[in-house]
Amino acid sequence: MATTKNGGYLTLKIHLLNGRLFNRLLANDGRARYNAEQGKIISALWDKRPQTASELAQVTGLANSTLTLMLKRLEEEQKLVTSVQDEKDRRKKWFDLTQIGIEQEEVGNQISDRLSSIFYDGFEDSEIEQLESYLGRVLNNLETAMAEIPHEECGRKK
């Protein structure tokens, strides 16, 4: 009997449910001032500050149009992010966290820890290491293919 290969489907479902659950945990916490999608931007800025929109797009995987709208909301409405025009290149803006955005890191870490405990419920440490090793290999395979396969072969035109 042939082995079924449902890894891609399972990964997609896990990604979907993980995002939805993270949004629920954020909403139910009461302290969080952002949603899961916005958390990608906030988290990127917790890791490295400041960053340009291009850098944030690369790190978060968000489309430029989506990123622009989210950054505007994070800055103007939620007051988590601030921006300044680059002094040398007027086309470039730098984004950084406000004090409120910095303080949200503790909340984000606590909620992420809660999500991780749900994600890995019932797993032994050795199983977690093994799973993450396999996922790392899959990620490497996909990144290698993206670098090697031209856009035309992916069903997209340049």
Side-chain angles (χ1 to χ4, degrees), residues 18 21 25 109-123 128:
N18 192 63
L21 184 54
L25 293 172
N109 287 340
Q110 290 172 1
I111 294 171
S112 290
D113 288 347
R114 169 97 169 92
L115 184 59
S116 288
S117 70
I118 294 167
F119 191 95
Y120 289 116
D121 186 36
F123 281 76
I128 294 170

Side-chain angles (χ1 to χ4, degrees), residues 49 87 96 118 120 125 132 138:
R49 307 175 32 216
E87 293 177 9
D96 201 348
I118 294 167
Y120 289 116
D125 286 346
E132 290 183 352
V138 170

Side-chain angles (χ1 to χ4, degrees), residues 20-151:
R20 287 181 180 169
L21 184 54
F22 191 49
N23 268 326
R24 284 186 189 182
L25 293 172
L26 286 166
N28 291 340
D29 184 271
R31 299 173 298 159
R33 297 180 58 145
Y34 60 92
N35 64 36
E37 284 297 305
Q38 294 168 334
K40 292 177 183 179
I41 298 167
I42 301 294
S43 179
L45 289 169
W46 289 332
D47 290 340
K48 178 183 175 251
R49 307 175 32 216
Q51 292 189 55
T52 64
S54 297
E55 290 172 320
L56 288 168
Q58 182 70 32
V59 171
T60 63
L62 295 169
N64 285 335
S65 57
T66 302
L67 180 65
T68 300
L69 290 171
M70 292 173 79
L71 284 167
K72 184 176 181 176
R73 180 170 286 148
L74 286 167
E75 183 172 16
E76 295 176 5
E77 296 173 24
Q78 293 161 273
K79 311 293 188 210
L80 298 174
V81 171
T82 186
S83 65
V84 294
Q85 203 77 38
D86 188 278
E87 293 177 9
K88 295 178 184 172
D89 184 349
R90 302 300 291 165
R91 297 168 297 170
K92 188 188 295 186
K93 264 188 169 179
W94 289 93
F95 295 90
D96 201 348
L97 295 168
T98 63
Q99 187 58 40
I100 298 168
I102 292 168
E103 291 166 0
Q104 285 289 295
E105 185 171 11
E106 183 178 342
V107 175
N109 287 340
Q110 290 172 1
I111 294 171
S112 290
D113 288 347
R114 169 97 169 92
L115 184 59
S116 288
S117 70
I118 294 167
F119 191 95
Y120 289 116
D121 186 36
F123 281 76
E124 299 291 329
D125 286 346
S126 62
E127 292 173 315
I128 294 170
E129 288 177 22
Q130 189 175 24
L131 173 62
E132 290 183 352
S133 172
Y134 291 148
L135 291 173
R137 287 171 52 193
V138 170
L139 178 61
N140 184 59
N141 291 344
L142 295 173
E143 288 173 340
T144 300
M146 285 297 292
E148 293 175 352
I149 299 173
H151 287 297

